[in-house]
Amino acid sequence: MPSSQPLGAGRARVSFEAIGTLADLADLTLPFTLRAVCHLGVADHLGETPRSYEELAKATGTHPPSLLRAMRALTTKGIFAEPEPGYFTLTPVSGLLRTDHPMSMRWAYRLRPDVEAWSAMDHSVRTGDVAFDHVYGEDYWSYLSHHPDLYTQFRESQRALTRIELQALLRVYDWSSFTTLTDLGGNDGAFLCGLLSRFPRLSGTLMDFPGAIASAAGAVAAAGFADRVSLVSGDLLEAPIPPGADAYTCKRVLIGFSDAEIEAFLRAVLAAMRPDSKLLILEPSNTSDEMTTAMDLHMLVLGKGRVRQPAEFAALIGASGLHCRQVVDARLLNLFEVVPAAAA
Ligand SMILES: C[S@@+](CC[C@H](N)C(=O)[O-])C[C@H]1O[C@@H](n2cnc3c(N)ncnc32)[C@H](O)[C@@H]1O
């Protein structure tokens, strides 16, 4: 039946399975309930011993019957367990939501303004414009720069992802030959500090917007690396890139840039590189994968960038006077090892 023809009420065969599939896909309740328990820090007050919802509500400063409803919804998906009515424990999934878990995901989820922007996604699909800018009248980074509480949350989400990404990046690539490394768009230095903690001969430079660098100063000092890190505050698309490092990294930065911005940025990095320097571009880059497809849509809604296939990166790299030597699969990310074309 052509899709333009309405289904006659009498003849329509209802597939309850299809309705259920759509209901699951369009569901908002679980993502928001999960975010709510993350914000409230519920998992921090649970362990293996069952705890009553009243106790849990007291510990989290919440309304007991409402918390119970939220916990039951998440229990249906295995996020918490309810071994006896009204008593809850952690599961392996919600263990990751504890703040003290070494791979904690408590703050990994998207911010409230991201959600507002997502609710205007149809604007992006209709026009190709950035929904975030349409809703807030300014771009993502300037909005965050004058909302310090949200900026803190954003930073935590980047730290959570970095903890996971770093494990694979250390496994799949030999970082040991570098003695100087500049992380471009390195936010508060979590990735750089992760590398410094493993390679004692390494010293680093961190470059990002002024707001990120202001918080990096405290984070780098707290990690004990103040004497091994130089901080450079500036716009990667305008300010010169600090010259002469053994390695330059940019992790999940190009994903937010347009093609023209990437080319301009890569040329600026090339100008800063020695003939034997390496640029390591770390990006989600396999659009067939469900997660990177989702990431691509985040970019449609939140900024000017997108997820690109390895061949698209190779073309941009080649057009900027650089050469991509190899692409290494680092699970959530691909690592593009790039050198000056003249040195290839
Ligand atoms: C998605 S975050 C990734 C942060 C970090 N590299 C990581 O992987 O955790 C993108 C970072 O790039 C920075 N950034 C984006 N555009 C920039 C620009 N034009 N100049 C300087 N920093 C920029 C942001 O401030 C942010 O810290």
Side-chain angles (χ1 to χ4, degrees), residues 141 151 154 158-159 162 165 183-187 207-209 212 234-237 251-253 257:
W141 301 119
Y151 195 80
F154 171 78
Q158 301 309 296
R159 293 180 82 84
T162 293
E165 293 161 348
D183 191 23
L184 301 165
N187 201 252
M207 181 170 177
D208 207 298
F209 284 129
D235 188 330
L236 295 173
L237 299 171
K251 180 160 78 64
R252 286 186 289 97
V253 174
F257 288 174

Side-chain angles (χ1 to χ4, degrees), residues 221-258:
F225 295 124
D227 56 341
R228 288 167 64 194
V229 175
S230 308
L231 300 173
V232 178
S233 127
D235 188 330
L236 295 173
L237 299 171
E238 287 174 10
I241 304 297
D246 295 344
Y248 290 86
T249 48
C250 53
K251 180 160 78 64
R252 286 186 289 97
V253 174
L254 303 193
I255 191 172
F257 288 174
S258 67

